[in-house]
Amino acid sequence: MADLGDNNPLGPSLAEDLLSHCRQLLSELDQYREFLVERQQDDTVIRSFRNTVQTELNTLEKVSSGDLQADRTVHTLRSSNFPFYATVWEAAKRCNGLVSFSRRFYWDVDHLKASSSAAAKETPKNGKRKGDKSKQKSILVDIVAEDGTEWVKVSTISESRLLMDMTKAGWEWDGPSEDDAEDEDLRRRLDKDEESEDEELQVELITLAKHMKKAANAVRIRYQHPRVKLLLPKIKEGKISHIDDLLQKIRDLGVTVECGEPPTSSLPTNGNSTTTTTQEDFQTSSLIETFQHLVVDEYKNFTPTLNIDCTLLLAIVSDLSHYPITPSSHYHKAIRRQIELEATQAPLVPSKLWPAMGTRNLLCTAPAHTRFSEIVDLIGTPTEKKRAAILMGEGTYEGCSREELITAFQSLTSYPVPLGWVLPIKIFASPSSPAPSSLNLLLSQLPPIATKVSNNLTPINQSIFLFGWHSGLTTLSSNKTVARQIENIIEEGNRNEDGGGDKEGVRGPDIWVCGTARSLLAKDKERRE
């Protein structure tokens, strides 16, 4: 990278370096987007960040077309946001389960609603609105990873700037003060809440960390608060003792702090270093391997045995899931919609359900099996009834081996059946109405909030979801309404328990919700539209 001393502003070299690296970064982002599209993954995770980098490249190209020796041009190049974007991308590439970039989180939802309502009603005389007050109780997280359970914030603050901030905040440089009251006053000012009138006395980095923790404590992912990580690529730990003390103070807040450049940094330094960054250094040794662990694996935390809800038992055996069906007015409108989805989107069973089940053991509760069997017997087609018998190893398929069941199922679908699919699905006699004594025994072995959850469930859903919770099994379901209801009840209980703090809270049932369902193919004119 070119050295930009005050007397030797090598604008052309800096421009060339920034443009080269920015184009390379954009190329990697495009490759990742193609990787996602090819695997039918959602590319919105990268789209916004990619557009931001494209805008920065457009700006660099425009600036580079001017007088590269002019002081103003050199200043603009040295102020480029590209090094920050490159740091964020390098950090993201070391994460697993990348969810999003630049996502704002709030820690006072009531304040947000009130601010939005007031802003909507207020009409300034000059027609211009003041700054967005809703952002006063929020933080912009640079990277959301680990399927949403890890938040990463990148700060490119330098050591000299951090020392200046510490001085402004009244940091004591000469060691412990002889005046205990003065020490206490310093600690008080450093610990001030962000709503204090003395906010200007806060070290910005501490405020940032506090905001991250406040926002994380207001959110739960799978019943737990996200972990918070702060990356400081321009800070070297162990070099300046006072900075080390500050970093420890941040860690005491419950924030993970990582200092120094990432192992495979792609950062040009805007002339503040003589370090040379080559094209080879910029690229990772195996980009495809990096992309693979960036993709969210929604199945990785599943238990070795899965509890299958009645809704997905029906989806697995439905004719809609296995053959192209010609739309007909004879079908209920919900069936017609599902026929359309199967034709225009990835087929549900091969793209979602088989991968979710994988090679794991499968079971369902006795009430779920009973309801499933009743529906199949009542409105199922001959092929749906046959698939149901194969799935459960019943009737003429009782006693068949897994391989025989898979072969039989293969004859009833147009998709290749995974050879590792574990059939038959076993039936577990879980407690449910009309056996209140068994249900009470189960509830007594769950957290107290389970009673409130149970009171809001039907008997069959009690048997399915409370059994999964009690057994520690992942439950697969397409019943989004019930899953959300359970989560809301437990979240409310956790909020009331920790009062917005960072306690772990109760872990509710592990439920994987399939975004769509499939009904049995019934030409049921009897069903009402």
Side-chain angles (χ1 to χ4, degrees):
M1 186 78 191
D3 183 10
L4 294 183
D6 293 337
N7 299 322
N8 185 28
L10 300 180
S13 298
L14 176 57
E16 181 180 357
D17 203 6
L18 283 169
L19 286 169
S20 174
H21 284 86
C22 194
R23 287 170 181 147
Q24 180 63 35
L25 172 56
L26 197 63
S27 174
E28 287 196 13
L29 297 177
D30 284 338
Q31 289 178 65
Y32 182 49
R33 185 171 62 175
E34 292 171 4
F35 177 88
L36 293 173
V37 172
E38 288 173 358
R39 288 156 181 77
Q40 298 182 328
Q41 299 281 336
D42 187 3
D43 68 337
T44 55
V45 62
I46 198 71
R47 193 181 302 161
S48 178
F49 183 65
R50 189 260 177 210
N51 291 341
T52 300
V53 175
Q54 178 67 67
T55 299
E56 184 66 19
L57 177 60
N58 294 341
T59 300
L60 289 173
E61 289 176 338
K62 182 177 180 180
V63 172
S64 299
S65 65
D67 181 4
L68 294 177
Q69 298 292 344
D71 290 344
R72 182 176 180 180
T73 301
V74 174
H75 174 74
T76 301
L77 292 172
R78 296 183 68 169
S79 302
S80 169
N81 289 323
F82 169 73
F84 172 75
Y85 299 143
T87 301
V88 169
W89 176 236
E90 284 298 326
K93 288 195 295 184
R94 291 183 288 134
C95 295
N96 293 305
L98 181 62
V99 174
S100 64
F101 290 95
S102 301
R103 185 170 176 181
R104 186 168 294 278
F105 292 93
Y106 300 84
W107 61 82
D108 190 339
V109 178
D110 293 335
H111 171 86
L112 172 62
K113 291 179 179 177
S115 298
S116 299
S117 177
K121 295 178 181 178
E122 181 181 354
T123 305
K125 294 180 180 180
N126 61 4
K128 297 181 180 180
R129 296 190 183 278
K130 296 180 180 181
D132 186 359
K133 293 183 179 180
S134 67
K135 293 183 179 180
Q136 293 177 358
K137 291 180 177 287
S138 68
I139 186 71
L140 190 66
V141 175
D142 296 317
I143 303 167
V144 180
E146 296 292 345
D147 305 342
T149 63
E150 182 175 79
W151 294 357
V152 180
K153 185 70 178 177
V154 176
S155 173
T156 54
I157 190 171
S158 65
E159 291 175 346
S160 58
R161 172 60 187 274
L162 180 55
L163 291 171
M164 289 175 60
D165 285 354
M166 293 167 69
T167 299
K168 183 179 178 181
W171 193 271
E172 182 64 53
W173 301 107
D174 298 327
S177 171
E178 295 180 358
D179 188 342
D180 291 340
E182 184 178 344
D183 276 346
E184 180 60 31
D185 180 65
L186 174 59
R187 283 191 291 271
R188 179 186 60 79
R189 284 184 284 142
L190 290 176
D191 288 332
K192 281 284 186 182
D193 186 82
E194 71 284 353
E195 296 175 351
S196 166
E197 295 178 357
D198 292 337
E199 182 178 356
E200 67 272 10
L201 295 178
Q202 274 280 12
V203 177
E204 182 180 346
L205 213 55
I206 292 180
T207 300
L208 182 67
K210 285 185 174 182
H211 286 184
M212 288 279 283
K213 284 297 293 183
K214 278 183 173 289
N217 288 343
V219 173
R220 289 184 185 270
I221 306 296
R222 295 195 294 274
Y223 310 105
Q224 302 300 298
H225 296 304
R227 300 181 302 276
V228 175
K229 181 183 291 186
L230 179 62
L231 302 186
L232 304 171
K234 292 185 178 181
I235 302 297
K236 185 175 181 180
E237 199 164 3
K239 180 180 177 182
I240 302 174
S241 61
H242 289 286
I243 288 182
D244 289 347
D245 293 341
L246 182 75
L247 297 180
Q248 184 56 51
K249 186 174 184 64
I250 293 174
R251 291 187 174 110
D252 290 342
L253 295 172
V255 176
T256 299
V257 180
E258 292 184 5
C259 299
E261 298 282 4
T264 55
S265 174
S266 60
L267 290 179
T269 59
N270 282 10
N272 296 320
S273 170
T274 58
T275 302
T276 300
T277 307
T278 67
Q279 185 77 358
E280 291 74 21
D281 290 333
F282 184 91
Q283 296 176 329
T284 59
S285 60
S286 177
L287 215 49
I288 295 299
E289 288 184 9
T290 298
F291 293 165
Q292 287 173 341
H293 69 71
L294 285 181
V295 175
V296 172
D297 181 1
E298 56 184 321
Y299 316 128
K300 72 177 182 179
N301 294 317
F302 283 11
T303 51
T305 298
L306 302 176
N307 176 32
I308 312 298
D309 183 11
C310 177
T311 59
L312 292 188
L313 294 176
L314 292 170
I316 294 169
V317 304
S318 172
D319 284 343
L320 295 171
S321 302
H322 296 284
Y323 296 115
I325 305 294
T326 303
S328 169
S329 59
H330 291 287
Y331 298 128
H332 186 274
K333 63 180 181 181
I335 298 292
R336 296 197 297 270
R337 174 56 179 162
Q338 292 176 26
I339 291 173
E340 180 185 355
L341 290 175
E342 280 287 320
T344 58
Q345 299 181 3
L348 177 62
V349 169
S351 69
K352 279 285 188 182
L353 299 188
W354 277 333
M357 291 182 284
T359 59
R360 298 174 178 88
N361 296 316
L362 309 173
L363 60 78
C364 69
T365 65
H369 172 257
T370 299
R371 176 66 60 84
F372 167 66
S373 299
E374 289 173 349
I375 295 173
V376 172
D377 290 343
L378 181 64
I379 63 171
T381 66
T383 48
E384 289 171 339
K385 291 178 180 179
K386 192 172 182 180
R387 284 192 204 96
I390 297 170
L391 187 70
M392 306 308 300
E394 296 175 331
T396 57
Y397 298 98
E398 184 175 356
C400 289
S401 67
R402 181 175 65 86
E403 292 76 13
E404 290 171 332
L405 294 175
I406 288 176
T407 299
F409 203 96
Q410 182 63 75
S411 68
L412 297 173
T413 179
S414 58
Y415 305 114
V417 179
L419 298 180
W421 192 21
V422 180
L423 294 180
I425 294 179
K426 300 185 185 307
I427 304 169
F428 185 88
S430 67
S432 172
S433 293
S437 60
S438 298
L439 178 60
N440 290 338
L441 177 62
L442 185 150
L443 290 174
S444 70
Q445 298 171 356
L446 287 170
I449 193 67
T451 299
K452 185 175 182 179
V453 171
S454 177
N455 291 339
N456 285 272
L457 299 178
T458 62
I460 186 172
N461 286 329
Q462 287 174 342
S463 80
I464 294 168
F465 296 102
L466 295 182
F467 163 72
W469 190 0
H470 178 265
S471 304
L473 301 180
T474 301
T475 297
L476 272 54
S477 174
S478 65
N479 198 331
K480 292 180 284 188
T481 301
V482 170
R484 188 60 186 165
Q485 182 183 37
I486 293 172
E487 183 179 356
N488 286 342
I489 292 172
I490 296 174
E491 288 297 326
E492 182 182 4
N494 283 334
R495 284 194 299 270
N496 293 337
E497 180 69 22
D498 70 12
D502 58 359
K503 290 184 180 179
E504 275 198 12
V506 172
R507 285 182 179 268
D510 180 19
I511 305 172
W512 178 80
V513 178
C514 183
T516 185
R518 294 292 180 265
S519 305
L520 297 185
L521 181 66
K523 292 184 180 178
D524 127 87
K525 294 182 179 179
E526 298 177 0
R527 287 189 183 179
R528 295 181 180 180
E529 290 291 323

